Amino acid sequence: MPDFNPKLILYTPDALNPQGQEVLRHFPQAERQEIKQHNRLPDLGLGHYKIKSDVLVLGKLKSLECKWSGRSADYIAPSLANGCFGGCAYCYVDRHKKVNPITLFSNVDEIMAAVDQHVMGLPWPKIPNQTDPIFYTYDIGCNSDTSIDYSLSDGIRQVLDAFRQHPRAKATFATKFVNSEMLSFDPQRKVRIRFSLMPASVSKLVDVRTDSIEKRLAAINDFYDAGYEVHVNFSPVIVYGGKAWRQDYRELFQQLNEVVRADVKAQLKAEVIFLTHNRQQHDANLLINPKAEELLWMPELQEDKQSQLGGWNIRYQHQLKAKMIAIFEQLIQDEIPWCEIRYIF
């Protein structure tokens, strides 16, 4: 995992509650600059990756809405952070911002109060579904990588502790990093970590500045032993090279089968999400990561499709995608039949 030491912290005055002050103390060497809005940053003259390395933003989250998901979790919790140290070529969060350093939201007490109010208003006991048979699940890392954020703010640990103690709710997040600091926190199976996996050769090209696939695989047993529920996230599935992608995923599944212990396999499930791309992101990648576009931008296989939020994205043609999904499911059945697919699309 990277050693993130920002040179500049941009902050809004309303973010400097005790939690925000703690973050400032954590990085005493960083220059500080007040801003009016956390989502309207001054022009710092820094490039895509440089601003992710050198800048941290502190803000106060205004929208405390819990949104329905039904896939990775029952609901998406209000964001604890936005942005990431990594620069994955397909990232939908980067897609919506010209520059996207890590932004931490310091009002974690308000965020968790909103989650508690939301979950306590839901029917109980919960009707079991694919997200969890007992607890309502809340994704706490949709717009950031919680593994990175955990080392930057004590607020993330406070949030995990709140879920650990909650009688009705469980936290979940996907990650491309292995943060050994998190192994000392005992979540008592009330936090589900989902390690994102894809063939290593592809990850090196598109998962920019993240931990290796080998490191993520090796961490699965460790995090289970530390008290986490551990799942995997095959996302995004990128189709390339005729049938080459099939063999690469077969080898990945074989690696997973070899690494994971039997007791961990018994609780491990998967979610599968095929690539969604974007024309504006394609244009940006041609300047910052053109090699990745050789895999991500394949017009002969893709079509325009309007997202649930109203934007236009590029996805695999629906008839081809149905065949791709069937192939992927068969590969799972052939190599890791013990791994239940929670959802696939």
Side-chain angles (χ1 to χ4, degrees):
M1 203 181 81
D3 184 16
F4 177 62
N5 286 295
K7 297 178 180 178
L8 173 65
I9 297 179
L10 304 175
Y11 66 91
T12 58
D14 59 2
L16 296 186
N17 59 8
Q19 191 63 58
Q21 294 285 358
E22 179 271 328
V23 175
L24 293 181
R25 288 193 296 271
H26 191 66
F27 299 106
Q29 79 290 349
E31 179 185 347
R32 303 171 187 180
Q33 180 179 333
E34 182 179 320
I35 55 176
K36 291 183 178 180
Q37 292 180 252
H38 66 77
N39 56 353
R40 292 189 178 181
L41 305 182
D43 184 1
L44 301 172
L46 299 176
H48 179 72
Y49 298 120
K50 187 67 171 174
I51 197 167
K52 288 173 174 285
S53 297
D54 291 357
V55 178
L56 176 65
V57 182
L58 281 177
K60 179 180 180 180
L61 186 68
K62 302 299 193 297
S63 174
L64 300 176
E65 178 184 5
C66 295
K67 299 179 181 179
W68 168 251
S69 170
R71 288 175 173 167
S72 64
D74 292 304
Y75 296 94
I76 299 171
S79 294
L80 302 171
N82 187 291
C84 179
F85 180 87
C88 297
Y90 48 80
C91 179
Y92 69 88
V93 181
D94 281 355
R95 182 182 302 173
H96 298 298
K97 287 187 174 184
K98 189 174 182 179
V99 293
N100 197 24
I102 296 173
T103 299
L104 294 177
F105 298 117
S106 62
N107 53 325
V108 294
D109 290 343
E110 293 180 343
I111 291 170
M112 283 311 302
V115 171
D116 180 68
Q117 182 179 27
H118 182 268
V119 70
M120 296 307 288
L122 298 173
W124 188 256
K126 172 192 170 180
I127 298 175
N129 59 12
Q130 63 86 12
T131 65
D132 196 82
I134 299 173
F135 300 105
Y136 288 104
T137 52
Y138 288 78
D139 200 316
I140 62 171
C142 277
N143 297 317
S144 64
D145 195 303
T146 302
S147 294
I148 291 286
D149 303 335
Y150 187 90
S151 294
L152 308 182
S153 169
D154 287 344
I156 307 301
R157 183 187 178 97
Q158 292 176 22
V159 167
L160 297 186
D161 183 59
F163 277 104
R164 175 172 59 183
Q165 299 182 54
H166 204 286
R168 300 186 182 184
K170 172 190 285 187
T172 179
F173 64 92
T175 184
K176 298 180 180 71
F177 294 93
V178 178
N179 187 344
S180 58
E181 293 180 25
M182 300 183 74
L183 295 174
S184 62
F185 177 85
D186 178 13
Q188 299 173 17
R189 309 288 184 226
K190 290 295 298 299
V191 176
R192 174 186 298 156
I193 185 169
R194 298 155 15 235
F195 284 105
S196 295
L197 301 176
M198 65 171 61
S201 60
V202 177
S203 178
K204 290 175 183 176
L205 185 60
V206 301
D207 278 355
V208 182
R209 307 195 331 165
T210 64
D211 283 341
S212 69
I213 295 297
E214 292 79 6
K215 188 172 182 179
R216 299 179 214 173
L217 285 168
I220 290 174
N221 291 338
D222 292 339
F223 273 78
Y224 178 76
D225 291 342
Y228 292 85
E229 184 180 31
V230 185
H231 285 190
V232 292
N233 175 10
F234 297 117
S235 171
V237 177
I238 302 170
V239 175
Y240 54 88
K243 295 183 179 181
W245 69 280
R246 306 184 194 185
Q247 182 58 32
D248 289 348
Y249 270 98
R250 186 180 297 277
E251 293 175 3
L252 174 64
F253 297 158
Q254 290 170 352
Q255 288 177 292
L256 184 65
N257 189 53
E258 292 173 2
V259 167
V260 181
R261 295 196 316 262
D263 58 327
V264 184
K265 289 178 181 178
Q267 58 82 62
L268 189 147
K269 298 180 182 180
E271 55 192 25
V272 186
I273 306 171
F274 278 73
L275 172 70
T276 297
H277 203 28
N278 179 275
R279 290 183 182 274
Q280 289 73 29
Q281 192 169 16
H282 166 67
D283 292 338
N285 282 345
L286 290 177
L287 298 176
I288 60 176
N289 190 0
K291 277 291 184 181
E293 285 306 297
E294 295 177 11
L295 294 180
L296 302 178
W297 188 257
M298 303 188 73
E300 68 276 15
L301 302 179
Q302 296 166 325
E303 63 185 3
D304 290 327
K305 186 170 182 179
Q306 193 169 21
S307 72
Q308 293 178 342
L309 299 178
W312 285 94
N313 294 320
I314 307 296
R315 301 178 184 179
Y316 294 120
Q317 297 168 15
H318 67 282
Q319 291 180 331
L320 285 176
K321 186 174 177 180
K323 296 178 181 178
M324 296 170 183
I325 288 174
I327 290 168
F328 198 94
E329 290 175 326
Q330 188 60 53
L331 287 171
I332 290 271
Q333 187 60 37
D334 290 345
E335 302 297 338
I336 47 174
W338 48 264
C339 182
E340 177 185 336
I341 298 176
R342 289 178 49 222
Y343 66 93
I344 182 170
F345 71 95

